[in-house]
Amino acid sequence: MEKTMRTPIIAGNWKLNKTISEAVALTTALKALVAEVSDVEIIVAPPFTALAAVRDAIADSNIHLSAQDVYSEDSGAFTGEVSAPMLKDVGCDYVIIGHSERRQYFDETNESVNQKVKAALAHGLKPIICVGEQLEERESGQTEAVIEDHVTGGTAGLSAAELLSCVIAYEPVWAIGTGKTATPAQAQEVHSFIRGLLTKAYSAEVASQLCIQYGGSVKPENASELMAEPDVDGALVGGASLEAESFAQIVKFDQ
Ligand code: PGA
């Protein structure tokens, strides 16, 4: 499948930012700026506390709701956790799973990522599975090994149909929040490697339909050159998604 057949997916990961009123203000401003966009899937991922308010603010718009994490169990004695049925209930279509900050600070592993991915899929949520190498790993030539480990670990046991309900986000850890973006060529190299892995594990047809986002210091200034690469199908945006204007410019990368 040609890249042009894959709908670009641009997601804003707000991380630990925005009160409810700030979230609604940002969403309301964004909604107006991207109202005419019909060829890009637009997603915002507010913190849990703002999900319901943002759901109401995006009603009847072209913006979709995502959470930033999910727990693998549906219910029970798991103090502090939020489950896939709860996220579905609040109006989420997507959930980010295995973000490098969760791997780094909250002991997320490939196994827990895989359990969360399966829980999300079981309840009709689309997982955005994050993968990416650290700087030392890149510098010591381990990038492909790390990416293979994250991709195969995160997607283990998924059917082709389940895989195609997922998005993979390649986020080199050294580019997240650092202002240091991967070059378009560096991003393309890893995206094409990921598509190759999934071609082997599934088929060329399945791999060619999967959306692979790039994340790590995506800004209005670099979005279109990254998106021009043949295997870069979208962006997972942190810092630049906290302002309506800059996120809208990224969403409109091709205008
Ligand atoms: P950044 O974050 O755009 O602030 O680098 C990206 C991410 O962590 O998803």
Side-chain angles (χ1 to χ4, degrees):
M1 183 190 270
E2 290 296 310
K3 168 173 176 153
T4 48
M5 304 292 286
R6 297 189 290 267
T7 302
I9 303 181
I10 310 277
N13 172 13
W14 297 0
K15 308 191 180 182
L16 183 55
N17 295 290
K18 304 293 177 188
T19 60
I20 292 173
S21 58
E22 290 167 348
V24 169
L26 170 55
T27 308
T28 307
L30 178 65
K31 200 165 108 171
L33 291 170
V34 300
E36 307 301 319
V37 175
S38 58
D39 51 356
V40 173
E41 178 103 337
I42 308 167
I43 304 171
V44 291
F48 289 129
T49 48
L51 286 172
V54 171
R55 170 203 60 205
D56 292 345
I58 59 177
D60 303 320
S61 81
N62 53 350
I63 303 175
H64 296 264
L65 192 63
S66 174
Q68 298 175 18
D69 190 23
V70 63
Y71 192 55
S72 49
E73 298 294 327
D74 288 357
S75 62
F78 302 102
T79 302
E81 294 298 320
V82 175
S83 71
M86 292 170 180
L87 295 180
K88 196 70 194 164
D89 181 50
V90 79
C92 289
D93 293 325
Y94 289 87
V95 56
I96 298 169
I97 298 176
H99 190 280
S100 68
E101 286 148 18
R102 297 220 58 89
R103 294 181 192 258
Q104 202 174 339
Y105 306 130
F106 303 99
D107 297 329
E108 195 82 81
T109 62
N110 286 333
E111 290 69 37
S112 60
V113 168
N114 185 240
Q115 287 169 356
K116 290 176 176 192
V117 166
K118 288 176 175 161
L121 289 168
H123 293 281
L125 290 165
K126 296 177 187 166
I128 299 175
I129 307 171
C130 303
V131 305
E133 81 288 357
Q134 299 182 22
L135 185 59
E136 313 81 79
E137 293 167 335
R138 174 162 282 264
E139 287 177 343
S140 60
Q142 290 172 267
T143 299
E144 291 193 347
V146 172
I147 298 303
E148 180 162 7
D149 183 52
H150 286 179
V151 170
T152 54
T155 61
L158 301 192
S159 67
E162 287 173 325
L163 181 77
L164 290 178
S165 292
C166 300
V167 172
I168 300 223
Y170 168 55
E171 298 207 303
V173 179
W174 47 271
I176 296 179
T178 56
K180 201 175 164 198
T181 321
T183 63
Q186 282 172 322
Q188 169 57 25
E189 192 177 21
V190 176
H191 284 226
S192 144
F193 176 70
I194 294 171
R195 215 178 292 285
L197 287 174
L198 295 167
T199 299
K200 268 185 253 155
Y202 294 85
S203 67
E205 155 131 46
V206 168
S208 72
Q209 292 175 61
L210 185 81
C211 170
I212 308 177
Q213 294 178 313
Y214 168 78
S217 299
V218 176
K219 305 182 222 32
E221 303 79 56
N222 58 27
S224 46
E225 57 175 17
L226 286 159
M227 290 296 295
E229 293 294 331
D231 287 294
V232 177
D233 308 316
L236 182 54
V237 186
S241 72
L242 296 175
E243 302 265 338
E245 188 61 51
S246 55
F247 188 59
Q249 282 179 37
I250 296 170
V251 166
K252 299 184 199 172
F253 68 92
D254 61 347
Q255 293 180 17

